[in-house]
Amino acid sequence: MVMNSKKLFIIMVGLPARGKSTIAIKLKENLLKDDIKARIYNNGDLRRQMLRENTSDPEFYDPENREGVSLRQEIALINLERAKNYLGKKGNVAILDATNVSRQRRKTIIGLLKSHPLLFIECINNDGAILDASIRRKILLPEFQHLTEEMALRSFEQRIRYYDSIYSPLEKERNYVRLDSLNNKILQEKLHDTLPFYDRIRDFLVTDSVKNLFLIRHGETYFNLENRIGGDSRLTENGKSQAASLGYYFRKRTIPVIFTSDKKRTVETAEPIRDLQKSCAIIRLSEFNEIDSGVCECMSYEEIREKMPHVYESRKQDKYNYVYSGGEGYVTMQERIDRGIKKALYLSGNAGNIMIVGHRAVNRMILANFLYRRREDVPYIYIPQDKFYHIVATQDRKLFQLKRY
Ligand code: F6P
């Protein structure tokens, strides 16, 4: 094996819907930016190309189904061969993107890829809600189109169970990383060899990368007109026309998903944007619900000042740490907002554009995640309704712009 040849095989490992392809693409894109030639060999894509008959049937993945096993083995071998050829020529990094969950499959890989070192990356994510949302995205693939949503869900879940029945986590392999793919956190790292490009690869793995995030506040609501907080008010005519303008503004950008809260005002703002896109889904995340103002829900700031002057005063003293009785404060929202951002990034995969339609306090917290602000200043960040924030946070570029639409 040539250890100092600047060539590396990366082998992805993990159950379906664990973010393997997202990580593979992120690695490839970042390596290419550094002039390192990288290519992905994806078994699922090759399966869909090669097998004309539909392979969405979960029984195809049953480890007891000899025909299925041998077809999948054949596909894996073709990709191994292609990856080997690539590194034999100009390529630097070949990424094998497949489940590779069984020890047996990995032994075959190790046996066949002897020319250059191997790095295994296992993607782990057992968060039920995220998994459910990612499976719902997966079943939009053409291979599930002939099934009802319910049937497609059951089929995909059964496929996962079959893979799970032969799953053996990384342990004996020479070089590996076990990654919490939702939180971009390395859970375990074992390296016996000095691997080319490893310093960058490690860094790419743990860095959130946001190509374009459009952070929008919902349009004007009836509650906004009365200065009332919380609630679930709808958009005014002006709010609807703001939403329509947003739709028009973004019509030429590809927005595959819009994340909103559960509240009508964010969904009503997202709908006209979605309607001018070719293919776009609205995903509601309760993590992006507006700050719960507890006993003050639906009151106007003036009413609070009159009827509950102590609330008004204490909040003014320390707005970040003030927690509404029976509700939340900026300080207690932190955890769910972080979680919402992780969810949105995970579910967006490698989308070039991500959109979130949120609320005033929520958007302040999201902004603070990307932009350094002293905590005490976060509850005062300017969040207008006639402009949106455009955020870019990649390894080589940071942008933060308030734009009119
Ligand atoms: O638009 C009003 C609102 O979103 C309320 O629902 C929320 O309580 C408030 O803004 C948050 O802003 P502040 O923390 O400045 O009161």
Coordinates of all heavy atoms in Angstrom, one line a residue, residues 59-62 65-73:
E59 N -38.4 -6.2 0.3 CA -37.9 -7.6 0.3 C -36.6 -7.7 -0.5 O -35.8 -8.6 -0.3 CB -38.9 -8.6 -0.3 CG -40.2 -8.6 0.5 CD -40.0 -8.5 2.0 OE1 -39.2 -9.3 2.5 OE2 -40.7 -7.7 2.6
F60 N -36.3 -6.7 -1.4 CA -35.1 -6.7 -2.2 C -33.9 -6.6 -1.2 O -32.8 -7.0 -1.5 CB -35.1 -5.5 -3.1 CG -33.9 -5.4 -4.0 CD1 -33.6 -6.3 -5.0 CD2 -33.0 -4.3 -3.8 CE1 -32.5 -6.2 -5.8 CE2 -31.9 -4.2 -4.6 CZ -31.6 -5.2 -5.6
Y61 N -34.2 -6.0 0.0 CA -33.1 -5.7 0.9 C -33.0 -6.8 2.1 O -32.2 -6.6 3.0 CB -33.3 -4.3 1.5 CG -33.3 -3.3 0.4 CD1 -34.5 -3.0 -0.2 CD2 -32.1 -2.7 -0.1 CE1 -34.5 -2.1 -1.3 CE2 -32.1 -1.9 -1.1 CZ -33.3 -1.6 -1.8 OH -33.4 -0.7 -2.8
D62 N -33.9 -7.8 2.0 CA -33.9 -8.8 3.0 C -32.5 -9.6 2.9 O -32.2 -10.1 1.8 CB -35.1 -9.8 2.7 CG -35.1 -10.9 3.7 OD1 -34.2 -11.1 4.5 OD2 -36.2 -11.6 3.6
N65 N -32.7 -12.8 1.1 CA -33.1 -12.9 -0.3 C -31.8 -12.9 -1.1 O -31.2 -12.0 -1.4 CB -33.9 -11.6 -0.6 CG -34.2 -11.4 -2.1 OD1 -33.7 -12.2 -2.9 ND2 -35.0 -10.4 -2.4
R66 N -31.5 -14.2 -1.6 CA -30.3 -14.4 -2.3 C -30.1 -13.6 -3.5 O -29.0 -13.0 -3.8 CB -30.2 -15.9 -2.7 CG -30.1 -16.8 -1.6 CD -28.8 -17.7 -1.8 NE -28.8 -18.7 -0.8 CZ -28.8 -20.0 -1.1 NH1 -28.8 -20.4 -2.4 NH2 -28.9 -20.9 -0.2
E67 N -31.2 -13.4 -4.3 CA -31.1 -12.7 -5.5 C -30.7 -11.2 -5.2 O -29.9 -10.6 -5.8 CB -32.4 -12.8 -6.3 CG -32.2 -12.5 -7.8 CD -33.5 -12.3 -8.4 OE1 -34.5 -12.9 -8.0 OE2 -33.5 -11.5 -9.4
G68 N -31.5 -10.7 -4.3 CA -31.3 -9.3 -3.9 C -29.8 -9.1 -3.4 O -29.2 -8.1 -3.8
V69 N -29.4 -10.0 -2.5 CA -28.0 -9.9 -2.0 C -27.0 -9.9 -3.1 O -26.1 -9.0 -3.2 CB -27.8 -11.0 -1.0 CG1 -26.3 -11.0 -0.6 CG2 -28.6 -10.8 0.3
S70 N -27.2 -10.8 -4.0 CA -26.2 -10.9 -5.1 C -26.2 -9.7 -6.0 O -25.2 -9.2 -6.5 CB -26.2 -12.3 -5.8 OG -26.9 -12.2 -7.0
L71 N -27.4 -9.2 -6.3 CA -27.5 -8.0 -7.2 C -26.8 -6.8 -6.5 O -26.1 -6.0 -7.1 CB -28.9 -7.7 -7.5 CG -29.6 -8.4 -8.6 CD1 -31.1 -8.3 -8.7 CD2 -29.0 -8.0 -9.9
R72 N -27.1 -6.7 -5.2 CA -26.5 -5.5 -4.5 C -25.0 -5.7 -4.4 O -24.2 -4.7 -4.4 CB -27.2 -5.3 -3.1 CG -28.5 -4.7 -3.3 CD -29.2 -4.4 -2.0 NE -29.6 -5.6 -1.3 CZ -29.2 -5.8 -0.1 NH1 -28.3 -5.0 0.5 NH2 -29.5 -7.0 0.5
Q73 N -24.5 -6.9 -4.2 CA -23.1 -7.2 -4.2 C -22.4 -6.8 -5.5 O -21.4 -6.2 -5.6 CB -22.9 -8.7 -3.9 CG -21.5 -9.2 -4.0 CD -20.7 -9.1 -2.7 OE1 -21.2 -8.4 -1.8 NE2 -19.6 -9.7 -2.6

